[in-house]
Amino acid sequence: VVVRSLVELRGKYPLEVLTDAGVLPNYAFPEPGVTLRAMIEQDRDPEARRNADPPGAKKRRPTKRWESREYLRPASSALREFAPFNTFYAEGRHLKVTDLDLGTPERPSVSPWRFCPVCDHAEPAGTSTAPPRCPRCATPGWDDAGQRHELVAFRVARSFTSQHESLTVDASDDREEVRYRLADLIDVRPEHWGGAKASTSPLFGVELLHGLTLREVNFGPEDDREDTARVADKSVPAKGFVVCPECGRVQQSARDPGEGERADLSAHAVHCARRRGTSVRKELLSVWLAREVKSEAIRLLLPAATVDVDGARSAFRAALMLGLRRKFRGRPMHLEVKATSEPVTDRGDARRTFLVLYDAVPGGTGYLRELWRTDGLRECLALALEVLERCACRHDPERDGCYRCLLGHHTAFEKVRPSRRRAVDLLRDALGAWSVLTEVLTLSEVSVDTLLESELERRFVAVLQRHVTERGGTWTPTVHHGKSECARLTLGDETWLLEPQVDVAVSTGAVHHCRPDFVLWSQREGVLPLAVFCDGFEYHAHPGEAAGRIGDDFDKRAALLASERWRVWSITWADLKRFEGSAAEPTPCLFETVHDPTLSTLLGRVGTSLARDLHREDAMRTLVTWLRTPDEAAWRGYACALLLASLMGSAPVSHSALDAAEDALWTMPARGELPVLAGAGDALGVARRMGDVGMVARIPREAVRQLQWGALRAVLRLFDEAPRRADEGFRASWRALLLGWNLLQFHPRVAVISTEQDRASQRDLALLAEMVSEGAPVDDQWASVFDLVDGACEALARALLAASAPVPVVGEDVTQGGRVVGTAELAWPAAKVGVFLDAVDVPGWLTFGPTADVSRVCEAVKERSATG
Ligand SMILES: [Zn+2]
Ligand SMILES: [Zn+2]
Ligand SMILES: [Zn+2]
C-alpha cells in the first residue's frame, strides 16, 4: 500500500492522497472527485537537454516523449477549476484544460437531459415525446427543442500541453481565471420533505430535507452571450462547451473564432479519426457539465420575492456562513450553502427565495438532522447577529460591513456585495419570527402575498425617488412623527413630505379608520394630503377564495373622499412596471371609446391644462402629474371632460330610463346586463358594462347647454363576487377601475362601489354627496341638528335630511310616569319614534339604533305621524 501511495504521490497533492487512503476523515473530501489527466509533451530541443544534464554526468536514456500527471479535486471546485479553457496551476506548470472524457459507447458519461425554463426540475430526456408542460411547475415550453441539452457527468478532464507551453507565463491570459455560468438545480419534491416551520409576516421559514439531489451545472463560459437558453429562470449559454464526440477535444474555435486555422489543427487528438479525415459520422456535441450529490439539507425561506433578491440573498448567505464558522469554530468543510428559488404559482414573476445548507457527503452525515433537532441554526444566526451588531465598522457611516464581519464570507460568485445593515435587519426579522414559527407541510406552499405587499411599497418609494431625482427635484430623507423612513421631496414648485403607514380616522358620520401605505403631505397650504394605497392583486382580490378585500378597500377610500379632507391614489405592480418602461401588460382604460377630438374640445371648454391622454397613463404617471400640479380645479375639469366625452354621441334618453339603469347598477346582486336605455328624453347618459365594471353616467341636456358641468353624475361598480375574482379577465377590470377612480375622484358626484361592499350605506353616502354638491340649502333647523347630534348618529341624520325626513329633536329625554327612562339622540316625539345610542325599551316608542336603515326610519316617522 505504501509503495502504491508513493507512486500516486508523485501525481497528486498530498492531502488528496491521504484522504483517498482513509487517513483523514472523509468529510475533508466528501464526494467522489474529478480527475484531471495532464499529458505534457516533453521538450526535445537538444539545447535544453544539454543544459539539463550537469557536466560530467552519465549520459541519460532518451527522454520519454510524454509525461503524464494526475490531479484530483473535489467535484464542487473541479466544476470550475477543471472546466475547459481554464488553466490549472500545479508544480510550477500551467495546464490548460483541453479535453473532456465522454466515456465509452458502452458506458457513456454524456446523455441528453431536459430542463425546465422556470423551475429547478430536470430529468433524462429519454426517447418518448415530452409533455408540453413541466411535470413539476406546469410551465409551458417543457417540450421545446431548446430545453433539451447534452449533459456530461463530470468525472475526468484532460489537458494536452507541451512542456514549453506549460512553463511559459503568458501575461495576457495568465492568472485570468475563466468565469463560467453555474447554477444549482435543487428540485424539492414531496418525498424529500422532513418537516418545516414558517411564518408569513415577516416571511421566514426553515425545512429539513432528506435524500435531496443537488445538481450543479456549468453551462459554459459566462461571456458567451451569443445564444442563450432559459433554465431555472436563468439565462445560460446555449452552446456550452463544444466537443468532438470522437476524441473529446473541446473546440477552441467555437469559443474564439479568431483563432482560425491554428485552432483547426489542434481541434482533435492525434488519434482522432476526424483529424485524419476518415470519419465525420457524428455532429460536434454541445455539452454542459454537471456534478450531482444526493444528501441531507436544510433550507431557509428568505423574505425576498421580487425586489432586491440578490441583495437579500448575498447578505443572508454571508451571515449564515459567519454564524456557522462561529458555532463550529472553523468552517465545516462538508456544508455548502446554495441559493435556489421556486416560482410562485399565479403570482407573476414572484419567486420563493431559498438558501440551502447542504451536506456534501453523499447520503449525509446526520449532522444537519442534529442541527435541526437542537435548533442549532437559530444559534448560528444569533451568533452571526452578535458579531454584526458589535463590529467596529458600524461606527463608520461610509462602510457597510468589513472583512472582520461579513465581507470575509462573500463568495466571488455572488453578484452583490453583502451589506451588514441588510444582514442585521434580516437576522433580526428571522430570529424574531423564530418564536412564532408554525409547523407547515413544506416551505414550497407558504404564502408570500404579505411579503409581496411590502415589496410593492418598497418598490413604490424607489420608483418615486428615482423619478424625483431624475427630474432635477430633491429627495431628502427625514424623520417625521418619529419615523425615520420619511422623505421630503420636491417636484417642480411643489414640496411634499412622504410618510409611510399613517393611521387615519375620518368621520362621515360613522368614523372610519384606515392605514394608507403612504401619506404625501403637501407643504403648501390648501392642498389636501394624499393617501397612497399600494395594492397587490392577489392580496386584495383573493382570487379563488370565498371573500376578497376589495369591498373593504373601497369602503375606506370612499370614506376618505367623502370626508373632503383627503385625496386618494391606488397604485399596482403593473403601474410601477409600466412607469419604469418594462410593462408586458397594457394599461386598461374605462374610457377606451372616448373620441379624442371630442375630449380635446371639452378639455378646452372646461378650461383645464392637463394633457388629454392622462386617462391612458399608468397610476404612477398620473400620481407624479398630480404631485407636480395639485390644482383641484384643473383636475375636476379633467374628470368632468372625461365623463362628458363618454356621453357625447349617444342619443338623448329619458331620466326614468337612466334612473332604472342606475338603480339596477346599485342593487343587482351580481354581474348582469344593465337595462337598455330605451325611450327618448331630455338627458344624456350611458349605461354599459366593460368586463367586470359597470358604469352609469348622466347629465340633463339643459345642464350641457348652460355649461353646468357640476350636474354630471356617475356610478361605477366593480363586480367582485367570488366567480368574477377567479376569472382571468378580472385583474384588468380591477385595475381599470382603480385607474379611473384616481382621475374621477375630483368630481364629487362619482360613486365607486363593489359587490362585496355594503352598497345600501354607500348609496346613502352618495345621496349625501348629491345634496352637498347641489348646494341644497340646509335650513337652520337641520343645521342645529348637525351641530348638536352625537357623531355616531351624524351619518344617519344627513341621510335623513337627504331623504326629506321631518326635522328631529336632538337629545330628547323620554319619560315614563315622570321618570326619565332614556335619551333619544334623534326623536320625533309626536310620532314616538327615536334613535337611541344604546338599546332601550320604551313602551309606546319605536326605537332605532344609529346604524338603522334610513328608509325604515322615514317610513316609521311618516306613518306614525299620520296615524298619531
Ligand atoms: Zn418547471
Ligand atoms: Zn476529434
Ligand atoms: Zn465589520
Side-chain angles (χ1 to χ4, degrees):
V1 173
V2 173
V3 174
R4 234 192 86 222
S5 291
L6 284 175
V7 171
E8 284 182 330
L9 193 56
R10 291 179 52 216
K12 291 180 178 176
Y13 284 154
L15 173 70
E16 282 127 44
V17 174
L18 293 175
T19 306
D20 286 357
V23 177
L24 287 180
N26 70 346
Y27 60 73
F29 204 135
E31 61 175 293
V34 175
T35 306
L36 175 66
R37 299 212 167 103
M39 298 293 284
I40 303 149
E41 193 176 15
Q42 294 303 293
D43 201 335
R44 285 185 292 176
D45 174 16
E47 187 77 12
R49 201 166 34 193
R50 194 171 313 129
N51 291 343
D53 288 335
K58 259 201 283 177
K59 191 174 159 57
R60 287 186 179 182
R61 276 187 298 157
T63 342
K64 199 168 62 176
R65 195 173 166 240
W66 290 95
E67 187 188 330
S68 72
R69 283 280 194 273
E70 261 188 28
Y71 304 94
L72 189 63
R73 305 291 289 151
S76 53
S77 47
L79 203 57
R80 287 185 178 87
E81 287 183 62
F82 289 172
F85 311 122
N86 219 343
T87 304
F88 183 66
Y89 302 89
E91 300 166 289
R93 289 202 179 86
H94 309 251
L95 304 169
K96 191 161 183 171
V97 180
T98 55
D99 292 55
L100 289 173
D101 187 301
L102 303 179
T104 59
E106 298 75 40
R107 293 190 61 192
S109 59
V110 58
S111 59
W113 280 61
R114 194 168 284 285
F115 299 83
C116 177
V118 170
C119 76
D120 282 17
H121 183 66
E123 59 182 57
T127 45
S128 54
T129 13
R133 286 168 179 272
C134 169
R136 280 285 291 133
C137 72
T139 299
W142 174 252
D143 58 346
D144 284 359
Q147 298 311 122
R148 189 188 145 107
H149 211 274
E150 299 291 333
L151 199 64
V152 172
F154 196 36
R155 302 302 296 272
V156 178
R158 294 199 182 88
S159 168
F160 285 90
T161 182
S162 70
Q163 173 91 324
H164 175 71
E165 253 181 313
S166 79
L167 293 173
T168 307
V169 178
D170 179 354
S172 68
D173 68 7
D174 188 40
R175 295 285 159 195
E176 199 175 309
E177 212 181 318
V178 179
R179 296 182 70 97
Y180 300 96
R181 189 80 172 99
L182 271 86
D184 297 304
L185 302 182
I186 301 173
D187 182 15
V188 176
R189 293 188 301 272
E191 62 263 34
H192 305 130
W193 299 346
K197 295 179 280 190
S199 104
T200 53
S201 182
L203 186 72
F204 184 68
V206 285
E207 178 169 26
L208 180 66
L209 299 161
H210 302 296
L212 181 67
T213 299
L214 163 69
R215 186 167 291 115
E216 192 176 5
V217 180
N218 184 337
F219 294 97
E222 193 176 55
D223 53 12
D224 187 355
R225 299 274 159 77
E226 255 175 59
D227 196 9
T228 57
R230 195 114 197 115
V231 172
D233 203 37
K234 296 167 189 74
S235 177
V236 301
K239 198 159 60 188
F241 304 99
V242 181
V243 295
C244 168
E246 316 237 9
C247 66
R249 178 69 44 94
V250 180
Q251 306 296 295
Q252 179 73 34
S253 56
R255 169 156 164 76
D256 186 0
E259 294 234 340
E261 277 139 52
R262 196 191 136 242
D264 252 16
L265 267 176
S266 56
H268 298 277
V270 188
H271 60 81
C272 182
R274 288 203 178 205
R275 190 164 185 142
R276 302 191 299 271
T278 54
S279 164
V280 280
R281 60 195 155 92
K282 289 188 212 155
E283 296 279 314
L284 287 173
L285 272 183
S286 172
V287 303
W288 291 333
L289 307 180
R291 68 178 266 239
E292 200 180 289
V293 195
K294 195 169 179 181
S295 186
E296 267 182 339
I298 291 180
R299 67 172 173 172
L300 294 91
L301 178 61
L302 303 190
T306 51
V307 177
D308 192 24
V309 174
D310 291 340
R313 199 166 43 207
S314 161
F316 209 106
R317 188 209 286 255
L320 180 60
M321 309 260 264
L322 168 68
L324 288 168
R325 189 172 280 233
R326 288 265 298 173
K327 180 165 163 64
F328 299 110
R329 302 183 191 286
R331 188 177 153 221
M333 296 297 286
H334 64 303
L335 295 184
E336 292 182 42
V337 181
K338 296 293 185 183
T340 178
S341 67
E342 286 177 354
V344 187
T345 317
D346 300 331
R347 296 295 186 271
D349 46 14
R351 297 177 73 89
R352 290 189 186 86
T353 304
F354 300 103
L355 283 180
V356 182
L357 187 58
Y358 212 90
D359 189 337
V361 176
T365 54
Y367 205 84
L368 291 180
R369 220 173 314 153
E370 190 62 13
L371 201 63
W372 173 263
R373 201 183 57 76
T374 57
D375 230 8
L377 213 50
R378 182 184 196 168
E379 196 193 330
C380 283
L381 299 184
L383 287 168
L385 182 60
E386 200 180 289
V387 173
L388 294 175
E389 278 179 330
R390 289 186 191 167
C391 188
C393 71
R394 74 186 189 277
H395 297 302
D396 184 349
E398 300 286 303
R399 302 174 79 178
D400 189 10
C402 69
Y403 280 91
R404 291 161 55 102
C405 55
L406 216 50
L407 299 189
H409 303 279
H410 178 209
T411 63
F413 317 113
E414 194 83 65
K415 275 180 274 175
V416 183
R417 204 177 129 107
S419 147
R420 189 191 67 90
R421 290 186 197 104
R422 190 81 200 275
V424 167
D425 286 349
L426 288 165
L427 290 181
R428 281 186 186 147
D429 276 359
L431 289 165
W434 211 292
S435 48
V436 294
L437 292 181
T438 49
E439 294 212 2
V440 293
L441 194 57
T442 170
L443 297 185
S444 296
E445 282 164 16
V446 174
S447 165
V448 298
D449 290 348
T450 312
L451 173 72
L452 290 177
E453 286 296 294
S454 63
E455 291 198 341
L456 177 57
E457 290 161 24
R458 282 176 55 201
R459 177 89 168 257
F460 167 75
V461 175
V463 167
L464 182 60
Q465 179 176 4
R466 188 174 316 150
H467 176 80
V468 166
T469 49
E470 275 174 7
R471 295 304 168 96
T474 60
W475 180 279
T476 320
T478 176
V479 179
H480 180 71
H481 286 155
K483 287 179 209 160
S484 59
E485 312 86 10
C486 301
R488 190 175 298 275
L489 60 110
T490 60
L491 260 178
D493 300 330
E494 299 297 322
T495 304
W496 298 83
L497 183 90
L498 178 73
E499 181 186 354
Q501 306 293 338
V502 183
D503 286 309
V504 176
V506 291
S507 169
T508 55
V511 179
H512 294 262
H513 293 274
C514 64
R515 178 182 267 220
D517 296 317
F518 298 96
V519 169
L520 279 151
W521 305 96
S522 172
Q523 303 299 287
R524 190 150 63 82
E525 199 144 340
V527 178
L528 296 180
L530 177 71
V532 177
F533 292 91
C534 295
D535 291 354
F537 177 72
E538 286 75 17
Y539 185 77
H540 287 265
H542 290 184
E545 289 171 42
R549 225 176 255 258
I550 295 171
D552 189 48
D553 292 344
F554 281 21
D555 275 347
K556 286 171 176 157
R557 285 163 221 198
L560 285 171
L561 291 172
S563 77
E564 298 183 325
R565 284 159 200 264
W566 288 89
R567 287 290 158 219
V568 173
W569 231 270
S570 308
I571 306 264
T572 67
W573 276 112
D575 292 311
L576 295 183
K577 284 188 193 161
R578 178 78 181 194
F579 188 72
E580 297 253 275
S582 65
E585 53 188 298
T587 304
C589 177
L590 292 178
F591 301 95
E592 236 24 292
T593 55
V594 162
H595 189 48
D596 281 345
T598 307
L599 182 56
S600 294
T601 308
L602 288 167
L603 286 171
R605 292 291 286 280
V606 300
T608 175
S609 55
L610 291 167
R612 185 192 70 198
D613 287 340
L614 212 53
H615 67 288
R616 295 201 176 93
E617 302 284 6
D618 62 78
M620 195 65 201
R621 177 71 56 197
T622 57
L623 173 71
V624 296
T625 310
W626 166 254
L627 294 181
R628 198 179 279 275
T629 49
D631 173 356
E632 288 272 344
W635 287 74
R636 182 170 304 129
Y638 187 89
C640 284
L642 188 59
L643 277 173
L644 269 175
S646 70
L647 302 181
M648 291 299 159
S650 54
V653 289
S654 69
H655 283 288
S656 57
L658 281 163
D659 286 344
E662 211 174 78
D663 195 58
L665 188 58
W666 275 104
T667 56
M668 59 170 61
R671 193 179 89 162
E673 292 311 318
L674 289 164
V676 177
L677 298 176
D682 50 8
L684 289 178
V686 288
R688 75 161 82 99
R689 187 171 60 73
M690 299 148 279
D692 294 319
V693 177
M695 176 170 97
V696 175
R698 60 196 291 185
I699 187 169
R701 285 171 78 194
E702 188 59 23
V704 180
R705 252 191 302 276
Q706 296 173 2
L707 310 182
Q708 289 173 340
W709 313 129
L712 262 172
R713 188 164 98 190
V715 182
L716 288 93
R717 174 167 167 189
L718 180 66
F719 295 102
D720 62 339
E721 52 273 13
R724 301 315 317 153
R725 284 186 285 107
D727 188 84
E728 239 172 74
F730 181 76
R731 183 193 292 261
S733 293
W734 170 74
R735 190 167 166 232
L737 189 67
L738 293 180
L739 285 166
W741 201 359
N742 288 340
L743 299 177
L744 297 180
Q745 65 173 308
F746 294 96
H747 184 59
R749 302 179 72 184
V750 171
V752 177
I753 51 170
S754 95
T755 303
E756 292 190 342
Q757 247 180 324
D758 173 2
R759 275 168 282 127
S761 66
Q762 289 302 317
R763 201 170 186 182
D764 292 342
L765 267 181
L767 271 171
L768 171 62
E770 282 288 286
M771 307 287 306
V772 173
S773 69
E774 278 171 3
V778 175
D779 63 41
D780 289 351
Q781 282 178 303
W782 273 106
S784 71
V785 167
F786 294 130
D787 282 346
L788 297 172
V789 78
D790 187 280
C793 287
E794 198 184 324
L796 182 60
R798 291 200 182 273
L800 287 164
L801 165 62
S804 311
V807 182
V809 179
V810 180
E812 171 84 355
D813 287 336
V814 180
T815 54
Q816 188 78 43
R819 198 168 58 84
V820 176
V821 291
T823 303
E825 200 46 41
L826 302 169
W828 294 265
K832 293 195 169 175
V833 173
V835 177
F836 293 78
L837 290 176
D838 305 307
V840 287
D841 185 24
V842 189
W845 277 65
L846 185 58
T847 64
F848 293 96
T851 56
D853 187 275
V854 178
S855 52
R856 283 189 49 219
V857 180
C858 284
E859 271 167 35
V861 174
K862 282 172 191 160
E863 259 174 42
R864 293 170 67 113
S865 303
T867 56

